[in-house]
Amino acid sequence: MMPTRRSLLKTAAALPLATGTFAAFAQTPWVPTREVEFVVPFAVGGGADLLARIVHKIIQDEKLVPVPIALNNRPGGGGATGLGYVTARKIGDPHTIILVNGTTQITPILNPAAKTLSEVRPVMNVMLDDFVLFVRGDAPWKNAAEFVADAKTKPPKSLAFATGGTTDIMAITVFAKATGAEYNALNFNSGGEALTQLLGGHVQACMGNPLEFMGHLQSKAVRALGVFRDNRFAALPDVPTMKEQGIAAPNFQMWRGMAVPRGTADAPSLYWEGVFAKVVATPAFKAYIAENIASEAPIPGAAFERFLADQEKLYRELLGKPA
């Protein structure tokens, strides 16, 4: 016979000690007890990988976690390969952390079959990157307006972009809609690979974040033609905004954050949220942000999930793909 509500209440009332013990156990802080795997669903050398490596180094240097952390790059499919690995092997595993970014959110909008952001529990956003139009240092264009004017004199898709993921593709889409020109987007596994294509002269341009290009920008191997933001970068005062050049492109940024696998319990999720909050507060992370002309943007837990819901709406509007 099924127990009644009255009998269940009587049993619970007769066991106050057990109930109190369970509550205390439930509130016991969680800590990792074995090696942690840090999954980076992008190739070595891109912006995602660079962020993962600085976060990994800070955690180790500051001894923020009592166990080793192993980096595992699993590139492919705009984050789908790495997130597919998490789905197949790591669901609910609190000893796994995952780097996520705008690409992991845009990929399933473009390809609904892809397993990406829905397979993780967002824990903490850490930074935002603005998008910039880059060309080789010896390219004939001095600014974005000249680049667009040249594109319009040629057959559609004559000028090619190398991209490191679906967020880069989306930046090109935003740019194309704002300029009325068509470009050829050639996708690679990371921003590092896209940069290699640009430096090798195989494409004419890249859309990317400053952190992926800073060294080559400083050496003048690449040139920045315009930025998708309201104001010029203080550190790059000679790079005009798109709006200054008569290009009515909306501001567009790459969010970058951390997650744990879908199904991870609250206690370990809160633990990792605390770890990443400590990472963002370190002088080393702040220096990384300044050196790469990015924006520090710590957004924890539930607030991060609300932020992602707003980003999803924005991305769908920009791509013309309603929910």
Side-chain angles (χ1 to χ4, degrees), residues 32-267:
T33 55
R34 56 179 170 81
E35 183 178 79
V36 170
E37 185 174 358
F38 191 171
V39 177
V40 184
F42 300 96
V44 173
D49 179 68
L50 295 172
L51 173 60
R53 290 178 188 277
I54 190 65
V55 169
H56 181 258
K57 185 176 188 303
I58 290 170
I59 290 174
Q60 289 187 315
D61 290 351
E62 300 292 331
K63 298 180 171 56
L64 299 180
V65 172
V67 297
I69 296 180
L71 282 168
N72 183 1
N73 289 80
R74 288 184 170 264
T81 298
L83 272 295
Y85 163 77
V86 171
T87 302
R89 303 188 185 186
K90 301 291 181 175
I91 293 301
D93 180 5
H95 291 86
T96 301
I97 54 177
I98 309 121
L99 185 140
V100 290
N101 60 27
T103 293
T104 58
Q105 189 171 32
I106 293 169
T107 294
I109 297 175
L110 298 174
N111 177 14
K115 293 184 181 296
T116 51
L117 200 62
S118 61
E119 301 305 309
V120 302
R121 177 174 180 170
V123 168
M124 172 78 75
N125 188 70
V126 296
M127 63 186 285
L128 294 170
D129 276 323
D130 292 284
F131 272 86
V132 180
L133 169 59
F134 291 99
V135 296
R136 273 180 34 146
D138 58 359
W141 313 285
K142 298 299 187 292
N143 54 52
E146 290 184 5
F147 183 88
V148 171
D150 191 24
K152 289 183 175 180
T153 68
K154 295 178 168 61
K157 299 188 177 181
S158 293
L159 297 183
F161 282 80
T163 75
T166 50
T167 316
D168 296 356
I169 294 172
M170 190 164 185
I172 296 167
T173 301
V174 168
F175 185 63
K177 286 183 177 180
T179 61
E182 291 186 58
Y183 306 99
N184 187 18
L186 304 175
N187 198 32
F188 298 89
N189 283 326
S190 72
E193 291 185 19
L195 174 59
T196 298
Q197 294 296 312
L198 178 63
L199 294 175
H202 306 297
V203 297
Q204 287 72 49
C206 283
M207 285 290 189
N209 310 122
L211 68 88
E212 297 170 321
F213 291 83
M214 280 308 298
H216 295 286
L217 190 61
Q218 290 165 349
S219 70
K220 301 188 184 305
V222 301
R223 178 187 302 142
L225 300 188
V227 59
F228 292 80
R229 68 198 312 261
D230 289 331
N231 304 302
R232 298 189 185 198
F233 290 117
L236 297 174
D238 295 331
V239 182
T241 68
M242 294 298 177
K243 294 181 178 68
E244 284 181 278
Q245 302 179 68
I247 299 171
N251 295 350
F252 187 63
Q253 293 178 305
M254 165 80 88
W255 59 264
R256 299 183 188 273
M258 306 292 161
V260 291
R262 173 173 52 83
T264 300
D266 290 346

